[in-house]
Amino acid sequence: MSLLSARNLSKVFPGKGGAPIRAVTDVSLDVAPGEVLGLVGESGCGKSTLGRSLLRLIEPTSGEITFDGQDITVLGKAGMKKIRRDMQIVFQDPFGSLNPTHRVGHVIAEPLIVQGVGDKATRRARVAELIDLVGLPEDAAGRYPHEFSGGQRQRIAIARALALDPKLIVADEAVSALDVSIQSQIVNLISDLRARLNLAIVFISHDLSVIRHVSDRIAVMYLGRVVEIGPAERIMENPQHPYTRALLSAIPRIGARREDRVRLNGEVPDPSAPPPGCAFHGRCPQVMEVCRKTLPPLGQPADGEAHHEVACHLHPVAAHG
Ligand code: SF4
């Protein structure tokens, strides 16, 4: 059973010139308890908006979100406050997301205070436990965020997200602002915590080389839609969508030949003026006439493997029934 399910989720922002900005369109996905789903795509593909919409930090325009068997799209403020104990977020910027005027002990305890959990003594004990869990120095509670490095600040943000013992965390570009060497430490920490706490994680990154280390499944997004989704090793070893192939070929690999590299020209199109047909057609090296007119549906190709779905005319979806 899924812990989190989104069905036909869309988010449209009002645009400045009047044209609506379609940040997320018709996304359906599931996350099982303890599973890590990687969400990948270039900047502007809608992955952060989707991540926040899943937690209703941004109100979806349409669609349904079920969390732990409950339809959370219909919940009011009080209902959402209760459910937020179980769903937390870690943001990209470990410098901006921590209040610099509060000591780290207070920063980590904040979710407990907001939710009215425990008294001072039990909160202090929980903070000490969390500091140990994320590998911060023992005396961290009494110090201020600016006294810590970028990687340590992200450990503080993770400890805060774990304070209420949630079932799901959305990690929104949680390692992107860090040096490469520190990135792998935080990725390892997240993997370790997920195993120890049976934590489900939606891990958002523009970097497929980071996503592959932490994810059980990967969803590739392009202009607000999921264009490929499947088990991580299948996406990495046998990607079907030309966009996924292009993202993958951008990762430096030993033995990779220069001529095999798929160059990705141009940028993600403007979401207020999405192109007709397949949104990737202007950049796709395998574009066909049909791609310019008809949107390819996301589904399991007739010649594909179970649980691996693609939205591309090169891989027609199997007919049902
Ligand atoms: Fe390329 Fe066409 Fe597939 Fe889109 S549908 S990815 S344009 S081949």
Side-chain angles (χ1 to χ4, degrees):
M1 197 185 123
S2 297
L3 175 66
L4 177 77
S5 283
R7 289 292 168 268
N8 310 108
L9 201 67
S10 295
K11 177 63 191 178
V12 183
F13 292 105
K16 272 188 190 151
I21 298 167
R22 298 180 195 287
V24 173
T25 306
D26 206 17
V27 169
S28 297
L29 50 79
D30 295 276
V31 184
E35 182 185 41
V36 181
L37 174 71
L39 264 188
V40 70
E42 292 163 283
S43 164
C45 72
K47 55 195 188 307
S48 285
T49 304
L50 174 60
R52 287 162 203 221
S53 300
L54 290 171
L55 303 186
R56 282 193 58 202
L57 293 173
I58 290 176
E59 281 302 328
T61 307
S62 59
E64 191 179 292
I65 306 161
T66 311
F67 181 77
D68 219 6
Q70 194 176 4
D71 179 358
I72 66 164
T73 24
V74 297
L75 290 181
K77 234 178 171 185
M80 274 315 293
K81 185 178 173 189
K82 211 165 150 207
I83 214 102
R84 282 204 201 291
R85 293 173 70 139
D86 285 329
M87 45 190 346
Q88 296 286 321
I89 188 163
V90 177
F91 294 103
Q92 173 178 359
D93 180 8
F95 301 91
S97 66
L98 306 176
N99 188 331
T101 64
H102 288 156
R103 289 181 204 272
V104 167
H106 183 90
V107 170
I108 295 175
E110 215 164 16
L112 302 166
I113 298 165
V114 170
Q115 292 278 352
V117 176
D119 55 22
K120 257 190 172 173
T122 55
R123 287 202 285 263
R124 199 173 303 130
R126 177 70 178 141
V127 167
E129 196 177 79
L130 289 160
I131 281 173
D132 180 52
L133 187 68
V134 301
L136 283 165
E138 246 178 68
D139 65 349
R143 293 158 62 187
Y144 288 93
H146 73 261
E147 297 176 50
F148 293 87
S149 67
Q152 285 177 318
R153 288 189 215 194
Q154 208 52 309
R155 287 176 193 266
I156 297 169
I158 292 168
R160 181 178 57 184
L162 292 174
L164 291 160
D165 202 12
K167 294 177 180 165
L168 172 89
I169 283 186
V170 171
D172 185 6
E173 298 277 12
V175 299
S176 305
L178 305 173
D179 291 345
V180 174
S181 59
I182 309 294
Q183 279 189 2
S184 57
Q185 289 175 17
I186 300 298
V187 165
N188 289 343
L189 172 67
I190 289 173
S191 296
D192 178 47
L193 291 173
R194 161 272 178 99
R196 284 165 73 177
L197 307 174
N198 194 35
L199 195 61
I201 301 173
V202 177
F203 192 93
I204 299 171
S205 175
H206 64 278
D207 189 344
L208 202 46
S209 67
V210 172
I211 286 262
R212 70 174 166 177
H213 288 301
V214 74
S215 307
D216 298 304
R217 285 187 305 129
I218 294 174
V220 181
M221 286 190 75
Y222 192 76
L223 202 67
R225 291 179 189 270
V226 172
V227 295
E228 183 160 11
I229 184 166
E233 71 275 17
R234 239 178 267 161
I235 299 278
M236 297 305 296
E237 279 159 26
N238 191 20
Q240 299 295 304
H241 198 283
Y243 180 57
T244 315
R245 288 202 196 126
L247 291 179
L248 200 58
S249 81
I251 302 174
R253 275 182 302 176
I254 298 164
R257 296 180 313 168
R258 184 185 272 256
E259 57 270 31
D260 290 340
R261 186 157 178 200
V262 184
R263 206 168 283 283
L264 203 48
N265 295 318
E267 289 175 358
V268 179
D270 181 352
S272 65
C278 171
F280 189 56
H281 80 242
R283 305 170 79 190
C284 180
Q286 289 161 281
V287 61
M288 302 172 287
E289 204 39 49
V290 62
C291 310
R292 302 182 209 279
K293 296 179 190 133
T294 311
L295 180 74
L298 178 70
Q300 188 186 319
D303 57 353
E305 294 180 77
H307 312 298
H308 186 172
E309 299 187 353
V310 189
C312 173
H313 290 303
L314 292 170
H315 306 282
V317 171
H320 293 288

